[in-house]
Structure formats: structure tokens, C-alpha cells
Amino acid sequence: MYHIPIIYENDEIIIINKPQGVSVQGGAGIAHPLDKEFPKQLGHEIFLVHRLDKDTSGLMIVAKTRKAASMWTKLVASHAVQKEYDAVCIGKFSKKSGTITDTVSEHGVLKNAITHYTVTAEKSIVCADGEMVLLSFVHLVLGTGRMHQIRIHLAKQACPIAGDDKHGNFVHNKLLKKTCGVKTLLLAATSLTLPFDGSSHTFTIPLPDSFVFF
């Protein structure tokens, strides 16, 4: 089993740092999901407020009661909670910052989606076969929270996230795995800003070890 780091806790919610590779919710073929394993660690039930992809690590809110889950789910949906991410992308963006507004298909329905991005660094990697791969380090702020939104939006910019095995550049992923040991999706939820006790509170975490080569 795995241990879930707790970043903050009050009477209503717990902010956790979800490890990469952990599914948030159980289902067919899913072993040891967070909604089943984390209660064992705590000794009491939890209620999901929002989700992160299995391959995305980072900050996530869970609630201690159904009432708190209902309230915080509405706060997240109303954008009262600001979610920020960091990613390593393959390629070079045409602009150093901007807003991506391409629609995203969610359960077969096209929905509006908004992702704000800022490129904070670029780096060239000479791979094992001599090919050069340009990487961009990107900070992202979500305007909406569609399924796989960030991964789809960045892929549509021709700058997919390194290690993305669904929307990514499979040839370059293979080269980066061989050269730099990139084995996972390089996307992490690194900052959460949320309202409680009459003010706004921001929680941040360091980048995962998988980002260390950048």
C-alpha cells in the first residue's frame, strides 16, 4: 500500500498530495484507489470533492462529510478554488504566455474549456540517438476543469506533455525515457488557493522528483 501525504486539514476538508499512478476512484480493473485506501490510513470515511488523473500527481481536496463535500464541490465548480499546475512539454510555444480555449470532449459532449499558460523556461535535450528535443517548462492556471483538459489543450498547441501516453508525442517520449529516464507524465498540481475562515489561503508543494532533470 501507499501513504498519502496530508498538506492541510480542518474540520471540513483535507488537502493531500496525491502520488502519481494512484487512481482517485475505484472501478473495474482498478486496484487500490484513493477513495478506498485513504480511509484506511485515516480511520474514517472520506468524500471526493474533485479529481486528478491517475498519472497526475499533486494537490487535491477531499472532504470529511457529505455536507462538506457538497459545499466544496460547488466552490470548485464556481471557480472559487484556483487550481495551478506545472508541466514539462515537448516543443516550443509560439507565445510565451496565453490562453487556450479549444473545446474539449467530455463523455462525448463538446464543452468549453479554458487554460491559461506561461512558459517559464526552455531547454534542449540531446537524446541518445543524437536527436535534439526542445522542452518547455510551463505553469498553468485552470479556468475550467474538464477531463484531461490540460493534456488535450497542450497537445493541440503541438506541445504535448512529456510522458503523456495518450495525447503525447510517442517518438519523443521514447527518446526521453531512454535518455532522461522519463517514465511518467510530467504534470503536477502544485498550487491550490481556496477560501475559508474569511480569507484566501494558498497551498503549494515542490515539484515531484520526476521533474528533477529540467
Side-chain angles (χ1 to χ4, degrees):
M1 297 303 128
Y2 48 80
H3 178 80
I4 301 293
I6 295 174
I7 306 301
Y8 172 80
E9 181 176 1
N10 63 20
D11 292 339
E12 296 180 349
I13 60 170
I14 304 172
I15 299 175
I16 63 172
N17 183 1
K18 186 189 83 68
Q20 189 276 336
V22 173
S23 295
V24 169
Q25 197 167 21
I30 297 177
H32 310 298
L34 183 142
D35 64 345
K36 300 298 182 186
E37 297 299 327
F38 193 37
K40 297 177 185 177
Q41 177 180 324
L42 297 172
H44 61 77
E45 192 174 8
I46 63 160
F47 302 87
L48 297 176
V49 170
H50 64 113
R51 292 162 177 75
L52 290 176
D53 292 347
K54 176 182 178 181
D55 294 326
T56 303
S57 63
L59 295 173
M60 183 180 149
I61 304 168
V62 298
K64 292 183 173 181
T65 65
R66 292 188 188 278
K67 182 179 179 181
S70 177
M71 182 184 74
W72 280 96
T73 298
K74 290 174 183 176
L75 285 171
V76 170
S78 70
H79 311 303
V81 174
Q82 181 172 286
K83 295 180 281 185
E84 301 181 42
Y85 294 72
D86 287 294
V88 175
C89 296
I90 298 172
K92 183 175 182 178
F93 288 77
S94 59
K95 297 180 180 179
K96 296 297 184 183
S97 63
T99 299
I100 307 168
T101 58
D102 295 301
T103 56
V104 170
S105 177
E106 194 171 63
H107 304 299
V109 178
L110 284 178
K111 294 187 177 182
N112 293 330
I114 301 170
T115 304
H116 308 285
Y117 75 91
T118 302
V119 178
T120 58
E122 295 176 342
K123 183 176 183 177
S124 295
I125 298 289
V126 179
C127 294
D129 67 349
E131 183 175 350
M132 183 174 291
V133 177
L134 181 62
L135 302 176
S136 298
F137 190 90
V138 188
H139 186 71
L140 304 126
V141 180
L142 290 189
T144 55
R146 309 303 184 195
M147 184 182 296
H148 293 176
Q149 174 180 316
I150 293 176
R151 297 167 69 174
I152 294 169
H153 269 180
L154 294 177
K156 286 186 175 182
Q157 297 295 302
C159 293
I161 299 173
D164 191 336
D165 61 3
K166 185 172 183 180
H167 305 283
N169 184 314
F170 307 116
V171 173
H172 285 165
N173 281 344
K174 187 174 181 179
L175 289 174
L176 289 173
K177 182 177 181 180
K178 184 176 182 179
T179 304
C180 306
V182 176
K183 299 177 181 179
T184 62
L185 181 75
L186 296 189
L187 174 66
T190 52
S191 177
L192 271 180
T193 301
L194 54 162
F196 59 85
D197 294 338
S199 61
S200 181
H201 301 263
T202 299
F203 299 89
T204 60
I205 54 171
L207 291 171
D209 292 343
S210 55
F211 283 65
V212 70
F213 74 92
F214 202 90

